[in-house]
Amino acid sequence: MSHDWRGSGVTKHTSENGWRVSLAFSNIGLAGKAFSGKRWNEHKKVLVQLFTELLKNEVKGVLLNEVGNMDDLLTPESRNRLESALGEAFEKAGAIKHGPPQFFWSKGETMAAFRHEVKVRNLEPLTRMDRVKSWRVVERFVLESGKEYGSISILIYNNHQPKSDKRPFKPASQIDFCKAVIRDAIQYCDENEQCAGYGFGGDANCGIGIWSMAFQETPEPVSYTHLTLPTKRIV
């Protein structure tokens, strides 16, 4: 069953025909000003170490959340600094044999970096969910296998959903949010027969009980695979 994780970890999935997908997710929990302040070099050292350890698990990419916050997002210069830290980690982990990493930035608090050789598409984000605040967004990616595996794909979600006095996220809204993600995944699989399954990562601030209720209230064809993200905690 899909759920969110506050921390860092790796998820692994192998399809019936042997195509293996490993991805790393991490909540780095840094405000935008942390990337431009006096302590940036300290933060960078920790981040490079974290990313390197995650990449050593032969993951296809690293998906980050709480990269800045809605009141303090990263500037273009700060984005370049994070990309530089990621690039250093990819190099240390031996993950640039085929070229530099691919970077994907959202308009909010998430971003992702994939190995150069990975076939990945950044879909339009999931927005305008029923009974959910319009500013809540979920990023969507499609990873594709090579032809040797039959050209199959997997749908991956990444997000960060704030929960505070300023931005409340009550249980009813959390369930509606989770149901919207599940329905979107099912619809995508219905419309794209090459999709072997879907996975949800990041920090949705929704516990396992909320996800369980959302799945119970959303009928799902048994032929689809939904993943637990992540399954192996690294740090």
Side-chain angles (χ1 to χ4, degrees):
M1 185 143 318
S2 300
H3 65 279
D4 59 284
W5 189 283
R6 297 176 183 85
S8 302
V10 171
T11 178
K12 298 181 180 180
H13 174 68
T14 303
S15 67
E16 293 182 356
N17 60 2
W19 181 47
R20 181 178 179 180
V21 177
S22 298
L23 295 167
F25 290 85
S26 181
N27 179 324
I28 63 175
L30 289 176
K33 60 185 178 183
F35 294 86
S36 57
K38 296 180 179 179
R39 297 185 60 191
W40 164 242
N41 287 333
E42 297 176 38
H43 294 314
K44 180 181 179 181
K45 182 178 179 180
V46 174
L47 290 175
V48 169
Q49 181 179 3
L50 167 65
F51 300 151
T52 302
E53 290 303 313
L54 291 172
L55 287 161
K56 285 180 179 178
N57 287 269
E58 298 182 355
V59 298
K60 293 184 179 295
V62 178
L63 296 91
L64 308 178
N65 68 84
E66 207 167 355
V67 181
N69 59 60
M70 295 189 67
D71 296 319
D72 186 16
L73 296 174
L74 273 65
T75 64
E77 180 182 357
S78 295
R79 289 188 174 194
N80 288 337
R81 285 187 167 186
L82 181 55
E83 288 185 3
S84 175
L86 280 160
E88 184 176 334
F90 269 75
E91 184 173 3
K92 286 186 174 182
I96 58 170
K97 296 178 181 178
H98 300 281
Q102 308 174 65
F103 296 116
F104 296 88
W105 286 90
S106 73
K107 294 181 179 179
E109 304 166 284
T110 65
M111 67 89 64
F114 293 91
R115 291 175 184 256
H116 184 84
E117 67 272 20
V118 173
K119 294 182 178 180
V120 56
R121 290 183 288 120
N122 191 187
L123 303 180
E124 288 294 318
L126 175 60
T127 59
R128 299 180 180 179
M129 294 167 273
D130 291 343
R131 297 184 296 277
V132 177
K133 293 293 185 180
S134 59
W135 51 264
R136 293 195 181 275
V137 176
V138 183
E139 295 299 313
R140 306 185 302 161
F141 298 90
V142 172
L143 275 67
E144 301 176 348
S145 72
K147 293 182 179 180
E148 65 271 25
Y149 295 108
S151 297
I152 60 175
S153 64
I154 187 170
L155 176 64
I156 297 295
Y157 295 85
N158 186 35
N159 80 123
H160 177 253
Q161 303 304 326
K163 182 180 178 182
S164 64
D165 291 339
K166 184 176 182 180
R167 295 184 174 86
F169 198 21
K170 296 182 178 180
S173 184
Q174 292 176 20
I175 293 174
D176 288 332
F177 169 84
C178 295
K179 288 166 65 175
V181 173
I182 296 168
R183 286 194 296 265
D184 180 75
I186 292 173
Q187 180 179 348
Y188 183 87
C189 290
D190 279 340
E191 296 174 354
N192 298 270
E193 61 180 14
Q194 77 277 14
C195 186
Y198 60 90
F200 189 79
D203 186 354
N205 264 310
C206 298
I208 192 67
I210 295 292
W211 279 106
S212 296
M213 292 180 66
F215 270 107
Q216 290 171 6
E217 297 177 16
T218 309
E220 179 183 16
V222 296
S223 60
Y224 301 142
T225 300
H226 55 267
L227 309 180
T228 300
L229 302 181
T231 57
K232 179 183 179 184
R233 191 173 186 184
I234 302 302
V235 294

